[in-house]
Amino acid sequence: MHIPDGYLSPQTYVPLYLVSFVFWSTALKKMKKNLSIKHIPYLAMASAFSFLIMMFNIPIPGGTTGHAVGSGIIAILLGPWTAVIAVSVSLIIQAIVFGDGGITAIGANCFNMAVVMPFISYWVFNIVRGRSLDAKRLSISAFLSGYIGLTLAALITGVEFGIQPLIATGVDGRALYSPYPMSVALPAMVFEHMLFFGVIEGIVTFLLFKYFAKHEYDMIYALSKREANK
Amino acid sequence: MKNNVPAFLLSRPSYEPRNFDKGRLKTSFIEKGIHHAAQIIQTGYVNWETASKDDFFQGIDARVKVIFLLFYIIIVSLKNDLISEVLIGVFVFILSIVASLNIFSFYKRVIFFSFIFGFLAAAPSALNIITKGHIILPLFHLSSAHHLWIYQIPQEIGLTKEGIYGVSMLTLRCMNSLSISLFVLNTTTFPDIIKALKAMLVTDAFLMVITLSYKYIFIFAKIVEDMHLAKKSRLVGQMSAVDGRRWAAGRIAFMFKKTTLRCEEIMKAMLSRGFSDNIKIYGARKLCLKDWTSGAILLLIGMIFLYI
């Protein structure tokens, strides 16, 4: 999911930087309003946690192991706006310090994994869950939130790759950046995430949610927020 | 280059192969966790060590290097010919020699990432199925061409000249971007990068979140490594996949609890030291002649790359 440098044209990465910037500013404003000065260490800890989730390899059915992006579970635990900042900071550190994801692609990566994914996951969780507190329905909601969140983020990434041969070509018609047309980039990104990575994300989101629902129910933002609104 | 990093941080943990025998698995996921955590700690130490050396590039102000990073990465993304990319690659190679970096370990990391994200991901596009053009290396010959929905499979499948050019471009672009960013990271400490970003008008609140998060990633990475090692030392033989999942979920939840508790402790510590809503990160020193000269040279060379 981490887009490296060189795959996106300036026509794509510049607008995505701007879109991400709008979300960062809005998220910081919202945080400041709700959490006062406590938001600084809180966001830093949330970012560190977002980074740490990726360090846990989890055995999944079928005998293999995988790790999650974690944006879905962070949105459920801390709220989507906190997830925007937490996952973005984690992605920025990954790109600058560990070379994971490109520097020109920071805006695109943040938009895909720190904006699209947390919001979709959070909405899916709330829509599937409804007002129910039934353990089975909550577990299904958690799985689907991770699964659908990641798959849709992959779809957006596929579109970003797929438009490159249309918007950035040389005089001879040759693609200057990502060479894969939409007909290849979109199915490749969507199917691999639908069949494999999305399932891992769903399982990790479900496992973590199940653990928190059992032991730390009050810490789940998506549940406490809805309860407070009732 | 003399390495002061303790040997235990540089040695990799033993890797145990997976075994899918009747729903039980060996503890390879624990080994992977240890490896991942150790790698993060090691990367942090190695970067810090090389960036703190008393060499020419390490002595240049971080603002000059951060501007160099952004300027050159934009140049790399704008250039669309192989010669320019090769020249930029050679230039960064010369810079890393001048900066006394450990060339072998530096390029090992650059080549590894470029191979995966640049070459492997782009390699299929060299085929004439994706990139049309003159086939220079035929691979398969089908009885006839096929049309599957919107996809066309030609009778002869092979690598095209245009496709190979495209793959080379992507690989080189990826390699250059990585080498430039790793070069800056290996010659600049993280606090200096933050100060440079402040000078570029990035908000203090955002920088403070990044700084705190960066520090705590290393602290928690050590805790994660210890948790995996503790689990490994208590295991004899295999564990079930269900137990493995439960353990990992429990540990992640434990980390979440620990991070929220630490957050409150940090808040109290910050308040006791006089922290208020007014966040201030102190700026960098005044630029000296060395900074201006090296900045001007890097800018000039960048402009040459831009216009060749």
Side-chain angles (χ1 to χ4, degrees):
Chain A
M1 278 288 278
H2 292 65
I3 303 172
D5 279 314
Y7 276 78
L8 298 182
S9 58
Q11 297 97 303
T12 315
Y13 69 69
V14 173
L16 286 172
Y17 255 109
L18 295 175
V19 173
S20 294
F21 184 77
V22 171
F23 276 93
W24 293 332
S25 308
T26 316
L28 275 175
K29 267 183 199 159
K30 280 188 180 278
M31 303 284 98
K32 224 168 184 172
K33 215 162 114 187
N34 295 333
L35 296 157
S36 73
I37 54 169
K38 215 177 170 179
H39 68 279
I40 297 293
Y42 176 81
L43 285 174
M45 291 305 115
S47 308
F49 176 67
S50 154
F51 193 97
L52 293 168
I53 283 187
M54 297 180 214
M55 286 169 62
F56 281 89
N57 282 281
I58 296 181
I60 57 166
T64 184
T65 65
H67 73 82
V69 173
S71 305
I73 187 67
I74 290 171
I76 294 171
L77 291 177
L78 303 171
W81 286 106
T82 310
V84 168
I85 297 295
V87 182
S88 294
V89 169
S90 165
L91 290 170
I92 291 168
I93 292 176
Q94 278 180 38
I96 296 175
V97 182
F98 301 101
D100 203 357
I103 289 179
T104 54
I106 284 176
N109 283 327
C110 286
F111 178 72
N112 303 337
M113 285 183 273
V115 175
V116 174
M117 198 177 158
F119 277 102
I120 297 289
S121 298
Y122 187 74
W123 289 331
V124 168
F125 180 81
N126 281 331
I127 291 166
V128 178
R129 181 210 159 202
R131 286 174 178 270
S132 171
L133 285 175
D134 174 55
K136 208 173 175 182
R137 190 156 166 185
L138 285 175
S139 299
I140 293 168
S141 313
F143 174 82
L144 287 175
S145 72
Y147 180 76
I148 297 173
L150 187 73
T151 308
L152 284 179
L155 184 138
I156 303 289
T157 311
V159 171
E160 287 160 11
F161 283 140
I163 57 170
Q164 298 314 307
L166 301 173
I167 60 169
T169 49
V171 280
D172 53 352
R174 185 170 46 88
L176 297 176
Y177 295 90
S178 174
Y180 299 106
M182 196 68 86
S183 59
V184 174
L186 201 58
M189 284 303 291
V190 172
F191 287 130
E192 71 176 8
H193 284 83
M194 270 173 78
L195 300 173
F196 186 68
F197 299 114
V199 179
I200 296 175
E201 190 74 32
I203 290 172
V204 175
T205 310
F206 154 72
L207 284 170
L208 282 174
F209 177 81
K210 201 175 146 192
Y211 190 95
F212 276 97
K214 197 173 171 186
H215 301 283
E216 309 281 353
Y217 187 90
D218 297 338
M219 293 183 95
I220 304 172
Y221 174 91
L223 295 180
S224 59
K225 184 89 180 163
R226 293 293 292 262
E227 296 308 306
N229 289 344
K230 266 187 183 178
Chain B
M1 188 185 81
K2 188 179 168 290
N3 199 331
N4 297 321
V5 181
F8 71 91
L9 279 170
L10 296 171
S11 62
R12 290 187 170 197
S14 60
Y15 193 80
E16 209 176 330
R18 271 171 270 158
N19 181 357
F20 309 129
D21 186 27
K22 290 175 189 167
R24 300 182 76 77
L25 78 165
K26 282 192 178 177
T27 54
S28 65
F29 76 98
I30 293 178
E31 299 286 349
K32 276 186 188 173
I34 296 170
H35 176 69
H36 204 158
Q39 208 174 25
I40 284 168
I41 298 166
Q42 181 191 327
T43 307
Y45 272 101
V46 172
N47 286 349
W48 190 277
E49 193 193 41
T50 50
S52 305
K53 283 195 322 184
D54 195 18
D55 264 313
F56 179 77
F57 265 97
Q58 283 80 346
I60 295 174
D61 191 276
R63 282 166 290 182
V64 175
K65 285 183 274 184
V66 170
I67 291 170
F68 157 75
L69 168 72
L70 297 175
F71 182 49
Y72 274 69
I73 278 189
I74 290 170
I75 294 173
V76 168
S77 83
L78 290 174
K79 296 311 287 181
N80 292 313
D81 62 290
L82 278 179
I83 296 165
S84 306
E85 294 290 350
V86 170
L87 287 174
I88 294 170
V90 171
F91 178 62
V92 180
F93 180 75
I94 294 166
L95 287 184
S96 42
I97 291 172
V98 175
S100 310
L101 297 182
N102 183 336
I103 297 294
F104 179 72
S105 66
F106 179 76
Y107 274 97
K108 198 173 97 178
R109 208 169 149 202
V110 169
I111 290 168
F112 174 74
F113 280 113
S114 318
F115 179 75
I116 292 175
F117 299 119
F119 180 76
L120 276 187
S125 70
L127 294 168
N128 60 336
I129 301 172
I130 308 283
T131 309
K132 304 275 178 275
H134 174 62
I135 297 176
I136 52 169
L137 183 65
L139 296 173
F140 308 103
H141 194 87
L142 305 175
S143 54
S144 64
H146 295 276
H147 291 269
L148 298 165
W149 188 38
I150 49 170
Y151 303 101
Q152 287 185 342
I153 300 169
Q155 192 174 11
E156 189 169 44
I157 298 170
L159 301 175
T160 62
K161 190 181 163 191
E162 293 78 2
I164 291 172
Y165 188 88
V167 173
S168 313
M169 268 304 297
L170 274 176
T171 310
L172 273 176
R173 231 188 245 146
C174 205
M175 198 170 159
N176 283 342
S177 300
L178 260 169
S179 54
I180 292 166
S181 53
L182 288 180
F183 170 77
V184 171
L185 194 75
N186 276 290
T187 54
T188 322
T189 59
F190 193 77
D192 285 339
I193 292 177
I194 293 294
K195 280 179 186 172
L197 290 174
K198 181 191 161 59
M200 287 165 191
L201 304 174
V202 178
T203 59
D204 283 357
F206 202 67
L207 291 178
M208 197 140 182
V209 174
I210 294 179
T211 310
L212 276 176
S213 181
Y214 175 77
K215 283 177 183 166
Y216 284 97
I217 280 169
F218 288 104
I219 291 174
F220 289 122
K222 184 76 192 108
I223 296 173
V224 170
E225 190 189 23
D226 289 345
M227 285 193 309
H228 280 88
L229 278 170
K231 184 69 184 170
K232 188 186 169 187
S233 66
R234 280 165 179 78
L235 270 177
V236 180
Q238 301 172 338
M239 74 188 292
S240 75
V242 176
D243 286 343
R245 282 196 285 275
R246 261 190 218 135
W247 178 82
R251 291 314 87 200
I252 296 174
F254 170 78
M255 286 309 301
F256 182 75
K257 185 86 182 159
K258 198 133 179 110
T259 50
T260 48
L261 285 174
R262 183 61 69 99
C263 165
E264 280 168 28
E265 286 168 16
I266 291 165
M267 193 60 224
K268 284 175 192 163
M270 285 164 80
L271 288 174
S272 70
R273 283 165 178 79
F275 176 76
S276 68
D277 234 346
N278 187 18
I279 303 155
K280 232 178 169 65
I281 293 174
Y282 291 100
R285 64 178 165 86
K286 227 177 160 185
L287 292 176
C288 63
L289 184 68
K290 181 185 171 185
D291 301 324
W292 285 111
T293 317
S294 40
I297 293 169
L298 289 171
L299 184 75
L300 187 74
I301 296 172
M303 295 299 263
I304 294 168
F305 282 133
L306 206 54
Y307 288 104
I308 54 170

